Amino acid sequence: MQNIFLAGSSRGVGREIAKLLLENEPPSVNLLVLLRNPTYAVELEALGAKTVFGDALNPANLEVALHGRAIDVVITTMGGLPSDRGERADCEGNKNLIDAAVKAGVQKFVLVSSIGSGNSVVAIAPQVLQTLGAILKEKEKAEQYLVASGLTYTIIRPGGLKSEVATGNAVLTEDPTVAGIIHRADVAKLVCDCVTSDKANNKVFSAIDRNMLFKPVEFETFDL
């Protein structure tokens, strides 16, 4: 069984990842989730996860959370909201987690970022960039830090997110010019597929639903 550490499971894509990882009975993975707020622990523990409490903006919390554990894969969906002020988990929290993963000898690190980060900035409309540009820059810094860390990595950049049931039409592509909408449940499935695929190692993907592109364009999908 793989031992997986998940940060960002209290809501959104992270919660969907936890559900997928634990959907088998018995679960096929040992899942340890990092939480800041104990409120979410009951539901996650009911799914079969173990919980550890700490703030990713505090490096010592992460070292304690990972110390002495044989973690195979770290997955992080951490990020703030546009309304958040001050230091954000998008960059500093993820950088701290990368450092802790290196120290713990983690085998693989999966970072969920966003289309508009890095070279995929060309896929974003100017008005969106005006609103989200600062957040995307923070995500880009985390991506760059992970690539330089020496860890085996996968970076997944979803498009615009919706909280609806999975469509099954989501795909990965290495084409940074493609953008569109994707459901959070579909992102979670792609993340879980990348965890178990060596083809995803040291790759950067955009994740979109092939039926919800912003512009009808031809692009190559990546087969895991």
Side-chain angles (χ1 to χ4, degrees):
M1 291 179 67
Q2 278 193 314
N3 297 308
I4 297 178
F5 183 92
L6 173 62
S9 61
S10 60
R11 58 186 170 86
V13 173
R15 177 58 62 89
E16 295 296 330
I17 291 170
K19 290 177 182 176
L20 274 182
L21 289 174
L22 298 168
E23 68 179 355
N24 295 325
E25 187 59 47
S28 56
V29 303
N30 294 314
L31 180 64
L32 178 66
V33 298
L34 175 72
L35 294 173
R36 276 191 308 173
N37 189 339
T39 303
Y40 301 105
V42 173
E43 183 181 345
L44 286 159
E45 288 172 357
L47 291 172
K50 294 187 173 80
T51 55
V52 62
F53 300 101
D55 187 341
L57 294 175
N58 184 330
N61 286 177
L62 295 176
E63 288 193 29
V64 170
L66 289 173
H67 181 73
R69 304 181 190 270
I71 300 296
D72 301 306
V73 182
V74 168
I75 305 170
T76 173
T77 67
M78 288 191 298
L81 300 171
S83 57
D84 289 348
R85 295 290 180 264
E87 199 173 34
R88 301 177 57 89
D90 301 85
C91 179
E92 293 307 316
N94 282 316
K95 284 173 67 175
N96 291 339
L97 184 54
I98 291 164
D99 287 340
V102 170
K103 289 183 180 178
V106 167
Q107 296 174 16
K108 187 171 182 174
F109 195 107
V110 181
L111 171 65
V112 179
S113 182
S114 177
I115 288 180
S117 177
N119 62 350
S120 67
V121 66
V122 297
I124 298 298
Q127 60 269 31
V128 176
L129 197 59
Q130 188 171 10
T131 303
L132 300 179
I135 295 174
L136 294 171
K137 280 292 183 185
E138 293 295 290
K139 292 183 182 295
E140 180 178 349
K141 290 175 188 175
E143 291 183 8
Q144 292 172 343
Y145 198 78
L146 176 56
V147 171
S149 71
L151 290 166
T152 298
Y153 66 86
T154 303
I155 296 169
I156 300 173
R157 299 166 172 165
L161 294 166
K162 283 190 173 183
S163 293
E164 298 181 20
V165 296
T167 68
N169 297 316
V171 294
L172 297 172
T173 180
E174 293 185 273
D175 187 338
T177 68
V178 181
I181 299 296
I182 187 169
H183 294 180
R184 288 178 171 87
D186 286 305
V187 178
K189 177 65 166 61
L190 293 175
V191 169
C192 292
D193 289 345
C194 285
V195 166
T196 56
S197 174
D198 289 342
K199 290 183 180 179
N201 290 355
N202 301 324
K203 294 286 188 180
V204 181
F205 299 118
S206 292
I208 44 89
D209 189 303
R210 66 172 84 239
N211 294 334
M212 292 190 283
L213 300 177
F214 289 145
K215 295 179 182 178
V217 293
E218 295 293 326
F219 64 96
E220 288 190 18
T221 60
F222 189 93
D223 185 7
L224 295 171

